[in-house]
């Protein structure tokens, strides 16, 4: 489907845009009517086809209805109903469209924020028409990179207007890195199609992408784990994966992203820990760890092949990554101490708690290949561990909840890598939830991005683990949540539930499913509802699998599976665990998960993690744990806890 | 006769520019005016005044509070500034910038003082533009905008 979409799109585009950039379809969003009118007129003057919306939510809605309806989005930064950066992330994540930011403020910090969130340009008001005449380059650039790293689309360049020729050189950039893997790897997909795609005539505009489905990603992660992260080289991984039609280049590119992801996770965890420490427990608002940054970074990685230096650099990742593949739940202790990363941006907490144990942060290639994570971690987890987050300790709930940490990542399309530790069947899988920056702080902070920290204690995952794992996935991101599968977590994980920005704190999460809905409602997004339902492990597993399935379906959705890192000890008592857990767990919704291209136009992957989780925290011992952790961490999510039950992540899948 | 009117109109515009009320952006607006959008400039300016009135009120109210919420003030002013510079209101934009600076430093008095200036400029510009448009309507379709010397 993805391939068809791409082809169709490219075909359509080719058809419509013989005179490209004339007729380029732009969506303009600005709450100020004067500016909007002006922008509209300016764009029309450039002969673009313009649609205007004064509300970000309306804009998202219209985009979701039909992903192929627009080529480019221009949005104001300062809007009352939704932060422009958030919109930026979401659009990039869900729809993978180029987004240009507009603002009256030319503060370099904001410009940087735009960059890290994945904006392809930042214009300062008042806008002049000359600036708008060149914006079509962003559309072309993206297309070219998307078409597959293997083939440079020289043809596309030719199609561009002569005036744009000079800009095509931009495309010579890291195609590999930017290229998405669009390869449908569904079980039922026939390989020949993939092969066929690969053999497509280079002259075609759009190359099929290799889509890293969950399964594919899982295989990848398994291979990497087997080889050892340091020793994992593309050739060997490829051999181990034994997947037809996959090339070494695909694997190399994916590996690169994965590595970045791991780095980021670890840094995030550090940051989170720091933050947690800094913040108070109860209220620790989710510090928005530069989740957005992460996303942005990730996205950048993927998109431009640049790795988010910004995000990673400031953090001192404590050997979180080092823990990869380490058996048995590494306690979060390690994490907490080390890993809290200084929040880069106050706003977003994105950080996923890195696991105490190992996790494989799956690096989801910017945007597009979210499926990686999903598949790999979650699936593995599920399969292996029956785990799902369930905090048995929690008061009432015995069922494990599955968190689907759907991180709706903003545009950045960061994929949240899920720790693939689980793959190893390690009982102490840590789940890492990477917070999405998107998530609003549970504390009701106005911040858009909230950190989703899911700390969960997977209580008896698979029956084997006696620990209660709380997997909270907060990420309430308005938009999408990913379902995170909690591997059997031994210890409780803390999560900071993210709140939807405009959502009320989920304190009510406790009930299954109930919590999610309220949150979801707040989001006008039609993201397929995040229904968090706490379900018993079994269910969660099923859910996870479901999710997997979803993922699989969305060929290019990237699912960030969050793996929660659950500290080895699943004890609820906060004392021990708190540290271990979650602090680092963030739902990185952002990451990846959702590939902007969800097939079927669904934002599917975006699963929303309901903040319900936050609600969950109230109950359980985990909560205490969380609190403690929060303390340690600086106040993560204590709120988010919510009942683990609530953790249920609704996997929203838009079909 | 007509040429006189046109010339008068041009002079009016020139003086607006010379006095610093308007800047390049206004020219842009005029350039966007064409057969498809015959009254574009006036439309936009009217929209601006209608919309910004609300912002002015909000800022007024916010300035009456005690203690002052600078973040909010800055927020409002940011929006106001954005609109104002979109129509090319030069002096107004500068006052807005000044106001924002005072917000950043937490200078309540400075903010209030500057805001009085803002309101004054706002009202003055409004009058001038109204006059200008009125005259322009009399003159008939305006020729292509040209930059004042």
């Amino acid at each position: 489907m993805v391939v068809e979409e791409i082809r169709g799109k490219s075909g359509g585009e080719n058809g419509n845009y013989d005179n490209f950039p004339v007729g380029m379809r732009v969506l303009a969003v600005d709450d100020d009517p004067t500016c909007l009118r002006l922008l509209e007129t300016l764009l029309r003057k450039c002969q673009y086809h313009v649609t205007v919306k004064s509300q970000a939510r309306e804009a998202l809605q219209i985009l979701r209805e039909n992903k192929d309806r627009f080529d480019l989005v221009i949005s104001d930064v300062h809007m009352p109903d939704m932060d422009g950066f958030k919109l930026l992330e979401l659009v990039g994540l869900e729809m993978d469209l180029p987004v240009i930011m507009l603002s009256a403020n030319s503060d370099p910090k904001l410009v940087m924020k735009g960059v890290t969130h994945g904006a392809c340009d930042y214009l300062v008001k008042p806008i002049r028409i000359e600036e708008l005449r060149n914006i079509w380059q962003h559309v072309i650039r993206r297309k070219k990179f998307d078409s597959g790293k293997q083939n440079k689309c020289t043809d596309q360049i030719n199609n561009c207007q002569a005036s744009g020729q000079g800009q095509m050189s931009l495309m010579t950039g890291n195609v590999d890195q930017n290229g998405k893997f669009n390869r449908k790897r569904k079980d039922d997909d026939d390989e020949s199609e993939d092969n066929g795609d690969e053999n497509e005539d280079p002259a075609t505009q759009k190359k099929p992408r290799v889509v890293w489905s969950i399964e594919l990603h899982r295989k990848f992660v398994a291979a990497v784990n087997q080889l050892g992260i340091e020793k994992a080289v593309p050739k060997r991984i490829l051999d181990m994966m034994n997947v037809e039609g996959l090339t070494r280049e695909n694997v190399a590119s994916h590996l690169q992203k994965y590595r970045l992801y791991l780095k980021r996770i670890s840094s995030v965890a550090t940051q989170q820990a720091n933050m947690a420490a800094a913040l108070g427990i109860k209220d620790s608002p989710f510090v928005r760890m530069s989740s957005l940054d992460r996303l942005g970074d990730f996205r950048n990685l993927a998109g431009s092949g640049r790795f988010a230096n910004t995000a990673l650099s400031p953090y001192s990742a404590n050997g979180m990554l080092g823990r990869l593949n380490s058996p048995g739940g590494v306690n979060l202790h390690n994490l907490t101490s080390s890993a809290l990363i200084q929040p880069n941006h106050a706003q977003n907490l994105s950080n996923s708690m890195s696991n105490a144990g190992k996790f494989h942060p799956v690096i989801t290639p910017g945007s597009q290949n979210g499926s990686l994570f999903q598949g790999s971690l979650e699936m593995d987890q599920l399969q292996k561990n029956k785990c799902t987050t369930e905090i048995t300790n929690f008061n009432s709930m015995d069922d494990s909840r599955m968190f689907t940490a759907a991180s709706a990542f903003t545009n950045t399309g960061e994929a949240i890598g899920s720790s693939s530790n689980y793959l190893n069947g390690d009982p102490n899988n840590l789940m890492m939830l990477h917070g999405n920056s998107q998530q609003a702080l549970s504390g009701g902070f106005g911040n858009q991005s909230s950190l989703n920290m899911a700390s969960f204690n997977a209580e008896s995952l698979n029956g084997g683990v006696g620990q209660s794992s709380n997997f909270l996935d907060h990420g309430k991101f308005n938009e999408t949540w990913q379902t995170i599968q909690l591997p059997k977590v031994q210890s409780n994980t803390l999560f900071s539930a993210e709140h939807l920005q405009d959502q009320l704190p989920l304190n009510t999460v406790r009930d299954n499913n109930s919590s999610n809905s309220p949150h979801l409602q707040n989001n006008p997004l039609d993201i397929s509802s995040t229904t968090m339902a706490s379900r018993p492990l079994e269910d969660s597993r099923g859910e996870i699998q479901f999710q997997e399935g979803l993922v699989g379906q969305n060929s290019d959705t990237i699912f960030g599976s969050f793996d929660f890192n659950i500290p080895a000890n699943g004890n609820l008592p906060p004392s021990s665990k708190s540290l271990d857990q979650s602090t680092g767990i963030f739902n990185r919704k952002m990451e990846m998960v959702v590939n902007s291209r969800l097939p079927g136009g669904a934002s599917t992957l975006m699963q929303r993690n309901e903040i319900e989780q936050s609600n969950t925290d109230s109950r359980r011992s985990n909560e205490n744990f969380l609190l403690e952790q929060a303390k340690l961490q600086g106040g993560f999510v204590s709120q988010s806890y919510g009942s683990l039950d609530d953790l249920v992540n609704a996997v929203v899948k838009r079909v | 006769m007509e040429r006189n009117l046109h010339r008068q109109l041009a002079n009016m515009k020139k003086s607006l520019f010379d006095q610093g009320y308007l800047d390049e952006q206004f020219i842009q607006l005029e350039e966007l005016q064409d057969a498809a959008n015959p009254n574009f400039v006036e439309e936009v300016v009217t929209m601006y005044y209608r919309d910004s009135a609300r912002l002015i009120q909000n800022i007024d109210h916010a300035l009456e509070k005690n203690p002052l919420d600078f973040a909010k003030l800055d927020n409002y002013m940011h929006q106001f500034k954005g609109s104002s510079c979109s129509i090319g209101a030069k002096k107004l934009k500068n006052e807005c910038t000044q106001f924002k600076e005072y917000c950043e430093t937490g200078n309540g008095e400075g903010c209030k003082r500057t805001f009085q200036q803002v309101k004054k400029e706002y009202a003055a510009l409004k009058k001038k533009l109204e006059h200008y448009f009125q005259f322009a309507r009399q003159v008939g379709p305006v020729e292509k905008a040209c930059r004042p010397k």
Side-chain angles (χ1 to χ4, degrees), chain A residues 31-35 37-38 41-42 45 76 78 103-105 110 125-130, chain B residues 25 28-29 31-32 34 37 40 43-44 47-48 51 75 78-79 82-83 85-87 100:
Chain A
D31 63 311
D32 184 321
T34 312
C35 296
R37 179 83 175 90
L38 177 60
T41 311
L42 284 168
K45 200 78 175 186
D76 187 35
H78 201 104
S103 180
N105 196 335
L110 281 185
K125 292 182 189 172
I127 309 236
R128 289 164 307 124
I129 199 167
E130 296 80 23
Chain B
Q25 182 62 17
Q28 276 245 353
L29 291 186
E31 283 176 353
L32 287 175
D34 56 13
N37 295 304
F40 181 67
E43 248 180 66
V44 174
M47 208 184 253
Y48 163 74
D51 202 56
N75 204 349
H78 178 83
Q79 297 178 47
S83 298
C85 65
S86 293
I87 65 157
K100 285 189 87 178

XYZ file of all heavy atoms in Angstrom, chain A residues 31-35 37-38 41-42 45 76 78 103-105 110 125-130, chain B residues 25 28-29 31-32 34 37 40 43-44 47-48 51 75 78-79 82-83 85-87 100:
356
model
N -3.550 31.929 13.382
C -4.756 32.353 14.078
C -5.087 33.825 13.823
O -6.217 34.244 14.005
C -4.617 32.102 15.583
C -3.491 32.923 16.181
O -2.377 32.925 15.627
O -3.724 33.577 17.213
N -4.102 34.581 13.448
C -4.334 35.992 13.211
C -4.954 36.185 11.823
O -4.328 35.875 10.814
C -2.992 36.727 13.297
C -3.145 38.227 13.161
O -3.975 38.682 12.350
O -2.442 38.947 13.874
N -6.153 36.690 11.770
C -6.833 36.772 10.480
C -6.151 37.709 9.490
O -6.166 37.453 8.278
C -8.239 37.262 10.815
C -8.203 37.730 12.213
C -7.014 37.162 12.877
N -5.579 38.758 10.028
C -4.894 39.693 9.129
C -3.717 39.000 8.455
O -3.560 39.050 7.233
C -4.374 40.901 9.927
O -5.408 41.394 10.757
C -3.869 41.984 9.006
N -2.920 38.363 9.269
C -1.751 37.685 8.723
C -2.155 36.557 7.787
O -1.521 36.335 6.752
C -0.895 37.098 9.841
S -0.210 38.350 10.928
N -4.822 36.301 5.996
C -5.316 36.835 4.730
C -4.151 37.271 3.853
O -4.128 37.031 2.646
C -6.224 38.016 5.044
C -6.807 38.714 3.858
C -8.062 37.989 3.365
N -8.673 38.744 2.280
C -8.380 38.563 1.003
N -7.498 37.656 0.657
N -8.959 39.297 0.076
N -3.231 37.882 4.501
C -2.060 38.357 3.767
C -1.285 37.178 3.191
O -0.900 37.171 2.021
C -1.173 39.163 4.722
C 0.130 39.678 4.153
C -0.138 40.597 2.989
C 0.914 40.419 5.233
N -3.013 35.642 0.268
C -2.881 36.416 -0.964
C -1.474 36.298 -1.544
O -1.304 36.167 -2.759
C -3.222 37.888 -0.700
O -4.444 37.944 0.012
C -3.351 38.662 -1.995
N -0.515 36.331 -0.676
C 0.860 36.215 -1.165
C 1.067 34.870 -1.860
O 1.687 34.797 -2.913
C 1.840 36.330 0.012
C 2.083 37.715 0.586
C 2.835 37.623 1.904
C 2.846 38.593 -0.379
N -0.510 34.701 -5.107
C 0.263 35.478 -6.066
C 1.410 34.653 -6.645
O 1.820 34.857 -7.779
C 0.841 36.705 -5.344
C 1.246 37.829 -6.253
C 0.063 38.629 -6.712
C 0.514 39.835 -7.526
N -0.601 40.708 -7.870
N 1.937 29.275 11.655
C 2.427 30.242 12.616
C 2.885 29.492 13.864
O 2.356 28.433 14.197
C 1.278 31.202 12.963
C 1.762 32.339 13.837
O 2.916 32.789 13.661
O 0.994 32.793 14.691
N 2.910 30.878 16.953
C 2.166 31.332 18.110
C 0.670 31.202 17.896
O 0.070 32.065 17.275
C 2.520 32.806 18.273
C 2.256 33.306 19.629
N 3.238 33.526 20.553
C 1.106 33.636 20.231
C 2.696 33.971 21.666
N 1.410 34.062 21.493
N 6.801 33.307 12.097
C 6.629 33.973 13.372
C 7.014 35.427 13.251
O 7.836 35.796 12.420
C 7.494 33.299 14.427
O 7.333 33.954 15.670
N 6.474 36.208 14.143
C 6.880 37.603 14.172
C 8.171 37.716 14.965
O 8.858 38.726 14.934
C 5.798 38.453 14.835
N 8.481 36.676 15.662
C 9.636 36.653 16.530
C 10.813 36.006 15.830
O 10.734 34.859 15.421
C 9.256 35.839 17.770
C 10.213 36.057 18.901
O 11.361 36.410 18.672
N 9.744 35.848 20.116
N 14.047 30.408 18.973
C 12.841 29.853 18.379
C 13.149 29.214 17.036
O 12.592 28.177 16.683
C 11.782 30.939 18.178
C 10.998 31.338 19.403
C 9.907 32.319 19.003
C 10.357 30.131 20.062
N 7.881 37.193 10.158
C 6.900 38.149 9.658
C 7.483 39.543 9.793
O 8.207 39.822 10.757
C 5.628 38.076 10.507
C 4.849 36.797 10.375
C 3.585 36.916 11.237
C 2.848 35.619 11.341
N 1.749 35.674 12.311
N 7.108 40.433 8.965
C 6.197 40.239 7.851
C 6.875 39.509 6.697
O 8.033 39.720 6.399
C 5.858 41.676 7.441
C 7.011 42.493 7.860
C 7.577 41.812 9.063
N 6.102 38.672 6.094
C 6.677 37.859 5.037
C 6.667 38.612 3.731
O 5.712 39.301 3.407
C 5.813 36.621 4.835
C 5.577 35.950 6.167
C 6.464 35.703 3.857
C 5.985 34.578 6.217
N 7.716 38.415 3.040
C 7.741 39.040 1.714
C 7.503 37.975 0.667
O 7.819 36.807 0.869
C 9.108 39.689 1.486
C 9.305 40.940 2.343
C 10.768 41.346 2.397
N 11.616 40.245 2.818
C 12.656 39.794 2.119
N 13.001 40.374 0.989
N 13.365 38.782 2.565
N 7.029 38.429 -0.420
C 6.664 37.453 -1.433
C 7.882 36.710 -1.979
O 7.792 35.545 -2.359
C 5.844 38.127 -2.549
C 5.079 37.057 -3.321
C 6.736 38.963 -3.461
C 4.016 37.615 -4.222
N 8.996 37.361 -1.981
C 10.204 36.704 -2.498
C 10.521 35.456 -1.699
O 10.997 34.463 -2.234
C 11.416 37.641 -2.432
C 11.334 38.885 -3.282
C 10.494 39.988 -2.639
O 10.343 39.987 -1.395
O 9.964 40.819 -3.393
N 6.353 47.134 3.912
C 5.322 46.105 3.913
C 4.025 46.625 3.309
O 3.302 45.897 2.637
C 5.080 45.614 5.343
C 4.061 44.506 5.480
C 4.456 43.237 4.764
O 5.598 43.025 4.412
N 3.468 42.377 4.540
N 4.112 46.235 -0.262
C 3.831 44.850 -0.626
C 2.337 44.626 -0.721
O 1.850 43.958 -1.631
C 4.352 43.904 0.466
C 5.775 43.547 0.362
C 5.962 42.060 0.086
O 5.026 41.264 0.090
N 7.170 41.675 -0.162
N 1.645 45.168 0.254
C 0.206 44.996 0.241
C -0.389 45.595 -1.019
O -1.263 45.020 -1.660
C -0.436 45.684 1.454
C -0.195 45.108 2.836
C -1.040 45.858 3.852
C -0.566 43.647 2.888
N 1.048 46.027 -3.759
C 1.425 45.250 -4.934
C 0.549 44.032 -5.101
O 0.398 43.508 -6.203
C 2.894 44.824 -4.840
C 3.835 45.969 -5.171
C 5.292 45.590 -4.986
O 5.559 44.474 -4.479
O 6.152 46.402 -5.345
N -0.003 43.587 -4.012
C -0.863 42.417 -4.101
C -2.248 42.783 -4.605
O -3.056 41.913 -4.923
C -0.991 41.750 -2.728
C 0.248 41.005 -2.261
C 0.038 40.515 -0.848
C 0.530 39.835 -3.172
N -4.836 43.768 -7.050
C -4.922 43.686 -8.512
C -6.369 43.475 -8.898
O -7.265 43.675 -8.092
C -4.028 42.554 -9.039
C -4.386 41.222 -8.402
O -5.457 41.116 -7.760
O -3.586 40.276 -8.530
N -8.078 41.145 -6.577
C -8.274 41.703 -5.237
C -8.247 43.218 -5.314
O -7.266 43.851 -4.947
C -7.118 41.278 -4.312
C -7.085 39.784 -4.085
O -8.057 39.200 -3.646
N -5.955 39.177 -4.385
N -7.798 45.084 -1.865
C -7.062 44.252 -0.928
C -6.503 45.032 0.244
O -6.643 44.639 1.396
C -5.938 43.535 -1.677
C -5.131 42.640 -0.802
C -5.690 41.508 -0.246
C -3.813 42.942 -0.506
C -4.946 40.677 0.565
C -3.067 42.107 0.306
C -3.638 40.975 0.851
N -9.077 46.136 2.643
C -9.642 44.968 3.318
C -8.757 44.519 4.455
O -9.213 44.270 5.571
C -9.686 43.816 2.315
C -11.050 43.367 1.894
C -10.918 42.221 0.890
O -10.445 41.151 1.298
O -11.252 42.453 -0.284
N -7.518 44.392 4.136
C -6.603 43.891 5.153
C -6.493 44.861 6.319
O -6.498 44.465 7.476
C -5.206 43.635 4.544
C -4.217 43.255 5.625
C -5.276 42.531 3.520
N -9.516 44.649 8.431
C -9.476 43.413 9.213
C -8.550 43.599 10.399
O -8.830 43.182 11.517
C -8.901 42.331 8.289
C -9.334 40.950 8.572
S -8.465 39.835 7.460
C -9.746 39.401 6.357
N -7.453 44.228 10.118
C -6.471 44.446 11.163
C -7.053 45.278 12.297
O -6.913 44.947 13.472
C -5.234 45.134 10.574
C -4.347 45.767 11.605
C -3.535 44.989 12.419
C -4.340 47.143 11.777
C -2.725 45.573 13.381
C -3.524 47.720 12.736
C -2.726 46.938 13.534
O -1.933 47.521 14.483
N -9.589 43.330 14.322
C -9.038 42.276 15.145
C -8.157 42.795 16.271
O -8.183 42.293 17.390
C -8.212 41.358 14.241
C -8.051 40.021 14.851
O -9.078 39.402 15.170
O -6.906 39.602 15.043
N 2.757 37.940 25.525
C 1.995 37.113 24.621
C 1.037 37.938 23.761
O 1.015 37.847 22.546
C 1.191 36.157 25.488
C 0.822 34.927 24.735
O 0.972 34.866 23.534
N 0.317 33.959 25.458
N 2.842 40.130 21.452
C 3.435 39.406 20.330
C 2.441 39.282 19.185
O 2.768 39.495 18.024
C 3.887 38.023 20.805
C 4.468 37.187 19.732
N 5.778 37.300 19.346
C 3.918 36.245 18.944
C 6.015 36.444 18.369
N 4.905 35.789 18.104
N 1.261 38.974 19.549
C 0.233 38.840 18.522
C -0.029 40.184 17.859
O -0.145 40.286 16.631
C -1.092 38.357 19.131
C -1.011 36.993 19.761
C -2.357 36.614 20.376
O -3.397 36.769 19.758
N -2.326 36.139 21.600
N 2.700 41.122 15.572
C 2.648 40.358 14.339
C 1.686 40.952 13.333
O 1.998 41.111 12.154
N 0.516 41.289 13.823
C -0.479 41.877 12.925
C -0.025 43.224 12.419
O -0.157 43.532 11.241
C -1.794 42.128 13.654
O -2.345 40.971 14.124
N 2.887 44.532 12.065
C 3.942 44.582 11.054
C 3.465 43.998 9.740
O 4.015 44.326 8.693
C 5.232 43.945 11.543
S 5.128 42.224 11.846
N 2.442 43.197 9.784
C 1.915 42.668 8.530
C 1.281 43.725 7.659
O 1.225 43.567 6.444
C 0.873 41.581 8.794
O 1.476 40.473 9.375
N 0.786 44.761 8.275
C 0.219 45.805 7.432
C 1.208 46.927 7.189
O 0.919 47.899 6.505
C -1.091 46.398 7.994
C -0.842 47.133 9.309
C -2.142 45.337 8.146
C -1.930 48.161 9.579
N 7.624 45.055 24.426
C 8.068 43.690 24.707
C 9.365 43.686 25.510
O 9.558 42.832 26.380
C 8.251 42.910 23.411
C 6.927 42.492 22.793
C 7.112 41.528 21.635
C 7.173 40.115 22.162
N 7.306 39.106 21.112
